[in-house]
Amino acid sequence: NEAEFHCDGCGIILQTKNPSQLGYVPVQALEKRDEIYCRRCYRIRHYNEIAPINQDPSVYLQKLDEIANTRSLVVQVVDLFDFSGSWISGIHRHIGKNPLLLLANKIDLFPRSTKWGRLKEWLRKYANELGVKPVDIILCSANKGVHIDTAIAAIEKYREGRDVYIVGTTNAGKSTLINRILKEVAGLDAIITTSPYPGTTLDAIRIPLDDGKAIIDTPGIVRKDRLSEWVCPTDLHVIMPKNTLNPRIYQLKEKQTLFFGGLARMDYLTGGRQSFVCYVSNHLYVHRTKVDSADEFLAKHHGKMLSPPKDPAQLPPWKKHRIALSGKEKQDVVISGLGWIACGKEKGLLDVWAPEGIQVVTRPSII
Ligand code: GDP
């Protein structure tokens, strides 16, 4: 009965009937190997190729609800590069009374001068505002292996002999983190499929622990309000940073515009001369021009000099977000999946343009 077989990469139930459906594996592959991967995972592992998936986020959320009926530790992985975009809204309602440990991943992208204590406090405050009181917050980097020992120790401390559920949105680095933990704990090499493309882990995977309990890797929740979910794989390589961000500082006068490739634009309308620090992938082209000629400039260069996207028609048309800087505290303007612009303490008025449906928000400055 093939329904008993799960893919070793993503956990989905394997099937041999329909190649266009998820979990497909050729019969021969099912018979031969000790480790079995569905075709999708096989392709990711061997060819770095990905078949896009389209799944209903509400199905994932229902799966999360099952956690409320367990006694467990919930480990929520968030992506520091896209904190609000990688947050699972209403997480506390899904997990019941279980404690939550927050693992804030991808610290390797933050400049060395970052004040880590302050960052942690920032996260705590933010989590509290969203209704969550984490038992602890660990800053780590899954793929660079930073503070993984601290994360493991915290998991061991707070699970108190219970199961551990790992939750997060797609692309937060959940699979990388679990692989890293397994490697440190048991010396195992990568067994869960990771990739830079959103939505790699499809069904819950149970990883047994010595005491009869388990680490349960839940499917990543897809959030469509992030640019990282919309661009094609080639463009994703450009916008998703792999190394420490080099902050790019622009002294702007009123009526100046910054283009972020051809994915977003910020018009600085009023507020006098002030500096804006862009935290975006080092490979993303940022272009400064005048507000008055910005439309014309975009029309001429979109998809060419102003890229990614290579093909602007693949993305929704831009929507304008009017933002008033309060003048009370330093604020970041976040364009989900693309990065953020750290603004000064002065008052100011901005128009930020991004494809419709992409989250554009302000927050107290993170760095
Ligand atoms: P999942 O969807 O949450 O399971 O995420 P993955 O583990 O597949 O990781 C998504 C992407 O984030 C991959 O391209 C990883 O290489 C990358 N990634 C994971 N951890 C880190 C990290 O600590 N730092 C950086 N810069 N990238 C990471």
Side-chain angles (χ1 to χ4, degrees):
N1 180 359
E2 71 181 38
E4 285 165 15
F5 292 98
H6 289 258
C7 169
D8 285 313
C10 68
I12 197 167
I13 295 174
L14 294 169
Q15 53 96 7
T16 56
K17 302 267 165 7
N18 192 342
S20 65
Q21 293 289 311
L22 290 172
Y24 175 77
V25 63
V27 183
Q28 309 89 291
L30 197 58
E31 282 164 356
K32 270 192 211 136
R33 299 200 186 84
D34 309 336
E35 285 184 338
I36 309 166
Y37 294 102
C38 71
R39 192 162 76 165
R40 190 164 176 277
C41 284
Y42 186 84
R43 282 188 179 168
I44 295 173
R45 297 175 70 87
H46 294 270
Y47 312 123
N48 243 339
E49 174 195 322
I50 184 93
I53 50 166
N54 255 323
Q55 291 205 335
D56 180 359
S58 67
V59 175
Y60 288 117
L61 289 172
Q62 274 167 19
K63 288 194 182 182
L64 269 195
D65 282 339
E66 293 166 18
I67 299 178
N69 302 322
T70 65
R71 276 196 71 245
S72 49
L73 170 69
V74 177
V75 175
Q76 187 188 2
V77 183
V78 291
D79 177 351
L80 278 175
F81 181 64
D82 191 9
F83 179 73
S84 62
S86 63
W87 188 266
I88 303 170
S89 64
I91 177 74
H92 53 298
R93 286 192 294 274
H94 296 291
I95 64 170
K97 292 206 159 40
N98 292 308
L100 184 140
L101 174 68
L102 195 59
L103 294 191
N105 190 31
K106 310 198 185 179
I107 56 165
D108 55 297
L109 299 177
F110 280 57
R112 275 178 237 296
S113 59
T114 305
K115 297 187 180 71
W116 302 110
R118 197 177 149 240
L119 178 58
K120 217 161 147 171
E121 275 324 297
W122 186 99
L123 288 166
R124 189 177 299 284
K125 209 170 147 217
Y126 209 113
N128 289 352
E129 274 166 21
L130 294 166
V132 173
K133 291 215 157 30
V135 287
D136 205 350
I137 297 172
I138 312 285
L139 305 174
C140 62
S141 166
N143 74 354
K144 302 282 181 343
V146 183
H147 298 330
I148 299 302
D149 45 352
T150 318
I152 294 173
I155 292 173
E156 215 29 59
K157 175 175 170 196
Y158 293 109
R159 82 179 178 96
E160 296 172 340
R162 294 171 290 200
D163 283 340
V164 181
Y165 279 86
I166 315 255
V167 303
T169 54
T170 52
N171 229 26
K174 226 154 39 70
S175 309
T176 311
L177 189 85
I178 295 172
N179 278 325
R180 185 57 87 157
I181 289 175
L182 293 180
K183 206 166 174 179
E184 304 255 320
V185 174
L188 297 171
D189 263 327
I191 55 167
I192 298 172
T193 307
T194 61
S195 89
Y197 313 112
T200 315
T201 309
L202 295 178
D203 215 345
I205 303 182
R206 249 184 109 81
I207 302 152
L209 296 169
D210 285 347
D211 59 1
K213 301 296 178 195
I215 295 181
I216 297 132
D217 179 18
T218 65
I221 289 153
V222 181
R223 278 189 56 167
K224 281 285 181 197
D225 55 355
R226 309 180 284 185
L227 268 173
S228 40
E229 299 277 344
W230 283 91
V231 298
C232 70
T234 339
D235 289 345
L236 187 60
H237 277 294
V238 179
I239 70 167
M240 208 173 88
K242 284 159 208 77
N243 299 304
T244 307
L245 301 169
N246 295 325
R248 280 184 260 173
I249 306 172
Y250 292 87
Q251 291 284 343
L252 294 191
K253 291 187 290 204
E254 290 182 358
K255 310 228 56 173
Q256 285 193 318
T257 289
L258 292 179
F259 278 105
F260 299 90
L263 287 166
R265 151 182 170 188
M266 182 190 88
D267 298 343
Y268 180 40
L269 301 176
T270 59
R273 200 181 170 82
Q274 60 172 302
S275 66
F276 294 87
V277 188
C278 305
Y279 292 87
V280 292
S281 162
N282 299 339
H283 301 293
L284 181 68
Y285 176 58
V286 179
H287 185 90
R288 184 208 309 235
T289 184
K290 295 201 176 82
V291 171
D292 291 339
S293 54
D295 285 341
E296 200 184 321
F297 193 83
L298 179 67
K300 195 165 166 200
H301 298 291
H302 210 186
K304 295 182 276 279
M305 184 210 279
L306 297 180
S307 75
K310 278 267 166 301
D311 182 5
Q314 294 301 311
L315 287 157
W318 287 3
K319 188 184 159 210
K320 186 170 82 177
H321 304 256
R322 171 73 43 102
I323 292 170
L325 300 173
S326 67
K328 293 199 185 86
E329 58 174 358
K330 287 189 178 177
Q331 282 178 298
D332 295 337
V333 175
V334 184
I335 303 167
S336 193
L338 194 70
W340 69 93
I341 305 149
C343 308
K345 221 175 170 178
E346 293 79 29
K347 271 194 166 177
L349 202 61
L350 311 169
D351 277 343
V352 175
W353 302 75
E356 176 146 31
I358 299 304
Q359 191 191 50
V360 175
V361 287
T362 57
R363 66 183 185 197
S365 94
I366 196 171
I367 295 186

